[in-house]
Amino acid sequence: MRRLLSPDRLLGVDVARGLALLGMMSVHIVPSTSGPFGDVTLAYQVASGRSSALFAVLAGVSLALVTGAERPRSGQRLRAARRSVALRGGVIALIGLTLGALPSGVAVILVNYGLLFAVATLFLGLGARTLAVLGALWLVVSPVVAHGLRMLVDDGPGASPSWLDLFTPWDLVQRLALTGYYPVLQWTGYLLVGLAVGRLPLRRTATAAWLAASGAVLAGLSKVVSGLLLPSHLDDLVVPETSPIAGEPLEVALATGMFGTTPTTSWWWLAVSGPHSGTPFDLVHTTGTALLALGLCLLLAAAVGRWLLPLAAAGSMTLTLYTLHVVVLAVTVGVSAGWDPVTEWAVHGVVALLLASLWALTGARGPLEHVTAEVARGHTPAASDR
């Protein structure tokens, strides 16, 4: 555990990543609805869309921390940092292509995550203020651009990217950037906000409190405005037969998830705020919840850090644990069909926390984290393992 408590690490960031991991596990395992009336499950009410967004925002935070934190690198050091980040992203994408070939039932995020790392190299030299402005604009404008572009192509999201998709590169790029579960065009907004946050003095209590407060305001305001705009235009939200939400009650789709993007039958789809809809209101809401979660985790870590070490340990090796989680789901397909889904999620979560805690006692990075660090080793001078 000594590495987690090192002065060079921000324990609250690890804790937030651990929460994101557990949240993503819950929506992978627990159904979106249950009961005779199709009530939305608690897992989807809390974690759907928000956990993966937190994961993406924290990716930006982590990249900012390894590339100078409050003082972004420049010159040769910046070029080296860009090479390192690109290589890390490449390794993550390769792992994602492998996991995408497994019958896990999970919309694997890692290839998109790796592509986001490549996109991040364009912005690593920028300061917090510039990144914040870019991020805010991206969250609002990119969904409008994406909506127009999706009118020209087939509906998504398609399957998770795998090695076979390398034989159809244009289709793969289209799904990764525009029509898939985690469209990089819109998700770059999460990355930019995360980079901006990582350039702030995160060790200060005032910064953590400001993140939590501003996140709560953004999350609440986006829902309120969407709720005011949408009711009078619900009839405009026509769902085509080719849409992945076709045949599903609209209120259920808006509450549980839109598979990455909305239909393009009306521009009023941009007013929805449902999980994984990729609209301005969805992106702003989930960015807000990510900032709220990070701010609270930073405050909690400063107050009761040692009590959160199991969660922080899991957050320090999310690539390894996420990969293991997807592999286990693929191996147990059919075997776990009769299990109670909440119990199954609890087993995944507890095992992840135990394995991470035991591994943390060795003082080493997680296995896959070690691989990515070794591949990028020597390309970022004086980089920490953050």
Side-chain angles (χ1 to χ4, degrees):
M1 296 290 182
R2 227 171 0 188
R3 191 171 69 90
L4 295 176
L5 295 172
S6 166
D8 295 332
R9 289 190 80 87
L10 278 166
L11 191 70
V13 175
D14 287 323
V15 171
R17 269 200 301 260
L19 279 178
L21 177 69
L22 294 180
M24 290 179 76
M25 286 180 173
S26 73
V27 295
H28 292 163
I29 295 173
V30 179
S32 58
T33 58
S34 65
F37 302 106
D39 297 324
V40 179
T41 57
L42 181 61
Y44 271 73
Q45 291 179 39
V46 173
S48 182
R50 299 187 181 103
S51 294
S52 52
L54 176 57
F55 215 47
V57 170
L58 291 173
V61 173
S62 298
L63 291 178
L65 292 176
V66 298
T67 56
E70 297 171 52
R71 297 181 177 179
R73 295 191 172 122
S74 60
Q76 184 178 354
R77 288 167 61 81
L78 176 58
R79 290 191 290 273
R82 284 171 170 158
R83 289 194 297 270
S84 175
V85 169
L87 287 169
R88 287 174 184 262
V91 174
I92 291 169
L94 293 179
I95 296 170
L97 289 172
T98 303
L99 294 181
L102 301 179
S104 65
V106 172
V108 177
I109 195 174
L110 294 185
V111 181
N112 306 70
Y113 204 60
L115 182 55
L116 281 171
F117 272 48
V119 172
T121 62
L122 303 174
F123 303 100
L124 294 178
L126 301 179
R129 184 172 300 179
T130 303
L131 287 165
V133 172
L134 277 174
L137 289 173
W138 209 289
L139 293 175
V140 175
V141 175
S142 67
V144 180
V145 175
H147 188 93
L149 291 175
R150 290 200 319 278
M151 291 180 174
L152 308 175
V153 297
D154 294 334
D155 290 333
S160 293
S162 69
W163 290 100
L164 290 177
D165 291 304
L166 297 180
F167 293 101
T168 54
W170 171 243
D171 178 68
L172 175 60
V173 169
Q174 177 182 301
R175 280 156 48 204
L176 289 175
L178 193 62
T179 62
Y181 289 98
Y182 317 103
V184 170
L185 177 57
Q186 290 103 303
W187 279 54
T188 296
Y190 293 139
L191 183 82
L192 290 170
V193 171
L195 284 168
V197 170
R199 299 283 184 228
L200 298 176
L202 293 179
R203 298 184 187 279
R204 295 181 185 175
T205 301
T207 302
W210 178 82
L211 287 174
S214 60
V217 170
L218 284 175
L221 189 61
S222 58
K223 283 292 185 182
V224 168
V225 176
S226 174
L228 292 173
L229 289 174
L230 203 56
S232 58
H233 294 280
L234 287 176
D235 290 341
D236 294 311
L237 305 186
V238 177
V239 180
E241 293 183 1
T242 55
S243 172
I245 61 170
E248 187 175 19
L250 182 60
E251 62 272 16
V252 173
L254 293 177
T256 59
M258 304 287 290
F259 297 90
T261 59
T262 64
T264 56
T265 51
S266 168
W267 287 95
W268 279 106
W269 279 106
L270 291 172
V272 310
S273 62
H276 291 296
S277 58
T279 68
F281 294 103
D282 170 37
L283 297 181
V284 172
H285 173 76
T286 48
T287 297
T289 57
L291 296 179
L292 173 61
L294 176 57
L296 292 177
C297 287
L298 289 169
L299 291 171
L300 282 171
V304 293
R306 290 184 179 273
W307 291 98
L308 301 174
L309 282 175
L311 195 55
S316 72
M317 51 186 293
T318 50
L319 180 59
T320 295
L321 293 175
Y322 178 91
T323 299
L324 181 61
H325 163 71
V326 173
V327 170
V328 169
L329 286 178
V331 170
T332 58
V333 166
V335 176
S336 60
W339 295 7
D340 173 65
V342 176
T343 301
E344 184 181 356
W345 167 67
V347 169
H348 277 249
V350 169
V351 170
L353 294 175
L354 286 174
L355 287 177
S357 298
L358 291 172
W359 192 272
L361 294 175
T362 69
R365 297 183 181 98
L368 293 182
E369 287 73 15
H370 175 74
V371 170
T372 58
E374 285 300 303
V375 169
R377 188 178 180 182
H379 290 277
T380 307
S384 73
D385 61 0
R386 171 95 302 11

